[in-house]
Amino acid sequence: MLPVLEFEWSQALWSQTLGWSPNSGQQLQLQRLYQQILQGNQQLNLTRITEPSEFWEKHLWDSLRGIFPQLNETTPQPLSLIDVGTGAGFPGVPLAIACPNWQITLLDSTRKKVAFLEALAKQLELPIRSLAGRAEQIGQMSEYRASFDMATIRAVAAPAICAEYTLPLLKLGGMAVLYRGQWLAEEGRALEPAVAQLGGVIDRIDAFTTPISQSVRHCIYLKKIQPTPPEFPRPAGIPSQKPL
Ligand code: SAH
């Protein structure tokens, strides 16, 4: 038997912390997501985080916290969102469960993870598009470039690299969300010129702690205000070798 996520306590925490809680169908999907990840972990190295409350906090809650406080009645919906370097599907899959009318694309360079995500999407009946490829290549393809309202990126690379992976994919006015742990003022000052070169600005930095372990988190919101110059993203490997 696989461990079960205990939803009695999590329902109250969801509403207190995010002003949202999953309906019964979404609860079932979150539960099945957890079980599929545990199962997938037997073949693929998907995540170290498998204990139920830790999985809830670090994968489910954390994924939604980056987006939920930003949504309000004036947010145009449905949104198109790309999750860059999604790995086992975070934050993209919990977002797809919570926002079933959004168009969500998951991107990862590891083919095996993308195959896992395709099977997962079928199992959970989620209308997700999964792409195997590198952000540097996808960002130069006319089909994907400047075509998303939002881009998320968690635990993939240093901030300036994340900016180069995400900003080219956004429409003008779109928002990239960098999910980070600790954040220092120096990092913000270093990120600013990189973001400006890519046609963006740092719109907001949100500092908060997670509800169970009180771990420090920051979400960095980058707004695209100008088209990204055509030379970005640079060829595969360059953004990480020579960060802006
Ligand atoms: N976002 C997930 C996974 C983080 S691990 C989470 O927070 O749990 C980082 C993932 O980014 C890996 O799966 C790796 O394959 C992917 N990745 C790294 N560089 C990438 C690139 N340039 N383009 C696309 N995916 C990339």
Side-chain angles (χ1 to χ4, degrees):
M1 260 299 279
L2 293 163
V4 168
L5 284 174
E6 301 151 41
F7 281 115
E8 285 82 26
W9 60 261
S10 73
Q11 282 299 93
L13 265 188
W14 280 126
S15 17
Q16 283 159 19
T17 55
L18 296 185
W20 171 87
S21 61
N23 63 30
S24 54
Q26 290 166 324
Q27 286 182 35
L28 199 65
Q29 284 178 312
L30 293 171
Q31 176 65 47
R32 284 162 76 190
L33 165 62
Y34 179 50
Q35 301 200 327
Q36 292 296 315
I37 299 262
L38 292 184
Q39 241 161 38
N41 246 355
Q42 293 166 5
Q43 278 95 48
L44 292 167
N45 188 14
L46 294 173
T47 180
R48 294 175 291 105
I49 297 168
T50 54
E51 188 275 315
S53 68
E54 208 190 356
F55 184 89
W56 181 86
E57 178 182 57
K58 304 236 162 80
H59 280 329
L60 304 182
W61 186 88
D62 193 70
S63 290
L64 299 190
R65 176 60 178 76
I67 301 291
F68 267 48
Q70 315 312 310
L71 300 178
N72 55 46
E73 303 74 52
T74 63
T75 311
Q77 304 225 17
L79 283 174
S80 61
L81 180 148
I82 184 163
D83 186 25
V84 176
T86 190
F90 301 105
V93 172
L95 287 169
I97 292 173
C99 309
N101 61 344
W102 290 15
Q103 288 149 14
I104 295 198
T105 302
L106 306 177
L107 170 66
D108 203 279
S109 53
T110 309
R111 220 157 257 289
K112 277 186 187 164
K113 288 187 185 166
V114 174
F116 166 82
L117 292 168
E118 275 167 0
L120 178 78
K122 261 204 196 126
Q123 284 268 346
L124 271 61
E125 297 174 53
L126 290 170
I128 291 171
R129 170 170 69 170
S130 312
L131 293 177
R134 294 191 62 120
E136 298 94 313
Q137 285 149 355
I138 297 291
Q140 287 293 356
M141 292 168 70
S142 57
E143 194 184 343
Y144 305 112
R145 190 178 176 87
S147 69
F148 296 92
D149 299 307
M150 246 189 224
T152 50
I153 188 161
R154 190 182 85 156
V156 174
I161 305 167
C162 291
E164 188 166 351
Y165 287 171
T166 52
L167 280 165
L169 293 163
L170 294 176
K171 297 176 191 168
L172 274 185
M175 192 76 86
V177 187
L178 277 48
Y179 286 63
R180 314 293 307 177
Q182 295 284 352
W183 186 259
L184 306 168
E186 296 94 271
E187 293 182 275
R189 282 193 288 276
L191 179 61
E192 238 164 63
V195 169
Q197 262 186 284
L198 296 160
V201 285
I202 302 178
D203 188 60
R204 218 164 67 77
I205 296 175
D206 191 9
F208 56 94
T209 54
T210 61
I212 299 176
S213 63
Q214 311 293 323
S215 312
V216 174
R217 293 282 184 280
H218 289 80
C219 279
I220 318 304
Y221 297 92
L222 310 179
K223 191 168 182 161
K224 182 154 170 178
I225 55 169
Q226 281 166 358
T228 301
E231 64 266 31
F232 302 116
R234 292 168 291 166
I238 306 295
S240 58
Q241 284 158 29
K242 296 181 187 159
L244 290 173

